[in-house]
Amino acid sequence: MASTGGCAPELFRRGLLEGRALAFAGGGEAIEATCAALGASTYRFEPGEDEDALHGTVASLPSLDALITESGDLDHVWVATRAVVNAALRPAGAGKVLFVAPRDDASVRAAIENLAHTTSIEWARYGITTAAILPGEHTTDGEVAQLAAYLVSHAGAYFSGCAFTLGFV
């Protein structure tokens, strides 16, 4: 698989994410392309959008099953997460939030890992699970996309509060 990860990995069956609606905030283009190739409907939110405006945008969508954030800006991550959780996931009584940390900022990586753990406890009563992917310096975008696709699938629903570290020996 190419390092950009823009196609459905052979690891998964076709249609794995059929019927799943995923929101993306921040980067995550390779993850979005992989998930779309596996059948997911995708929506993209721009980093830095006002929380009230974002909440309105999310509330106007038919439904969402998961949010995937990939940003080194924790404020943007939290604004998008809170808007999607409050407008879509909590009212639906289920959903997944997947945080993808930057490769090169140890403090943001630690904060993302902590955010996944803490929110998994706080939001369990709403049926919302959270996880974090912590890619290493040599981890390809395709590897991150494959793990993300698994985690937002029905099979990945089991994992909550987990941080998956990739590419470290």
Side-chain angles (χ1 to χ4, degrees):
M1 173 176 237
S3 65
T4 58
C7 63
E10 293 179 19
L11 179 65
F12 302 117
R13 67 172 167 75
R14 290 180 190 256
L16 174 71
L17 298 176
E18 195 71 40
R20 307 282 288 166
L22 311 177
F24 291 83
E29 289 83 6
I31 300 170
E32 184 176 7
T34 297
C35 291
L38 290 168
S41 299
T42 63
Y43 304 94
R44 178 159 289 282
F45 305 119
E46 295 306 315
E49 278 190 69
D50 173 73
E51 185 174 346
D52 292 332
L54 186 55
H55 187 280
T57 301
V58 172
S60 72
L61 297 173
S63 70
L64 281 178
D65 298 297
L67 168 67
I68 300 167
T69 67
E70 185 174 1
S71 176
D73 185 324
L74 292 172
D75 288 334
H76 292 161
V77 168
W78 181 242
V79 166
T81 300
R82 191 165 58 187
V84 170
V85 166
N86 289 331
L89 303 183
R90 191 166 49 94
K96 171 75 95 184
V97 178
L98 181 60
F99 303 105
V100 181
R103 288 172 167 80
D104 58 354
D105 189 331
S107 61
V108 173
R109 291 168 62 85
I112 292 288
E113 181 176 0
N114 187 50
L115 184 61
H117 179 71
T118 303
T119 55
S120 74
I121 296 166
E122 294 293 325
W123 294 338
R125 64 182 162 207
Y126 304 118
I128 299 169
T129 60
T130 63
I133 297 176
L134 309 172
E137 182 180 332
H138 301 292
T139 305
T140 67
D141 290 344
E143 291 166 334
V144 173
Q146 288 177 22
L147 178 56
Y150 172 74
L151 291 172
V152 298
S153 75
H154 291 291
Y158 170 80
F159 296 97
S160 189
C162 302
F164 296 87
T165 303
L166 301 175
F168 289 97
V169 179

